[in-house]
Amino acid sequence: MTDTAQNTTYEKISIPKWFTIVAVLAFVWNLMGVMAFVGQMMMTPKMIAELPQAEQALYASVPLWATIAFACAVFGGALGSLALLMKKKLAEPLFILSLAGVAVQMFHSFVISNSFEVFGPGGAIMPAMVVIIAIALVRLANKAKVNNWLT
């Protein structure tokens, strides 16, 4: 279609059907992360006292910067997913912010704190999924940008 007033040509870009499905799943996934963050922030001292001693120590030792990284990870991911659904280029930098938050959070959990000792090898499954999905979402947003699926 040609806009004669501005002398500009517009092409209709075909976006695969799977893209919207993946964007919806990403949004749901990241909303679950937001719920986990809110749940952790809403834990009362009484709720923490009911946890095993080792887990209580983990909660007590989380520095502010790790909590900020957690917030960046989940809110960056949720907003990135929303931007992906809206087909906006802002999705990519938001997913990069989310991935950076995930990296900092995982550094704290597995290098600085002793969460691996507390939760054991099974406690590494969900964090591994989080890292893999965060990387995949950055790559998806980049692919969508390169293919002109985003405005």
Side-chain angles (χ1 to χ4, degrees):
M1 162 189 286
T2 302
D3 181 344
T4 55
Q6 293 182 3
N7 222 6
T8 308
T9 302
Y10 297 99
E11 290 182 31
K12 176 120 171 103
I13 303 293
S14 178
I15 300 172
K17 293 183 192 305
W18 61 261
F19 179 81
T20 302
I21 295 167
V22 171
V24 168
L25 291 174
F27 189 56
V28 170
W29 167 260
N30 281 291
L31 285 180
M32 290 189 308
V34 168
M35 290 181 356
F37 177 80
V38 170
Q40 184 172 319
M41 295 300 102
M42 301 288 287
M43 286 189 75
T44 64
K46 181 181 177 191
M47 293 165 76
I48 294 172
E50 293 173 359
L51 296 172
Q53 191 65 38
E55 289 181 37
Q56 289 179 40
L58 280 179
Y59 275 100
S61 69
V62 175
L64 179 60
W65 59 265
T67 301
I68 292 169
F70 187 12
C72 289
V74 298
F75 290 106
L79 291 172
S81 298
L82 186 59
L84 208 59
L85 280 169
M86 297 171 66
K87 297 175 182 66
K88 299 295 178 189
K89 288 182 183 177
L90 182 59
E92 186 179 33
L94 287 167
F95 282 137
I96 291 170
L97 170 68
S98 178
L99 178 58
V102 166
V104 170
Q105 183 186 11
M106 294 306 154
F107 176 78
H108 173 264
S109 293
F110 293 104
V111 176
I112 295 176
S113 76
N114 64 344
S115 65
F116 191 77
E117 294 170 20
V118 172
F119 297 114
I125 294 170
M126 182 58 84
M129 284 178 48
V130 168
V131 170
I132 291 166
I133 291 171
I135 291 168
L137 290 174
V138 169
R139 292 186 55 152
L140 174 63
N142 180 263
K143 176 183 178 72
K145 183 179 80 173
V146 167
N147 289 336
N148 293 316
W149 299 342
L150 307 177
T151 58

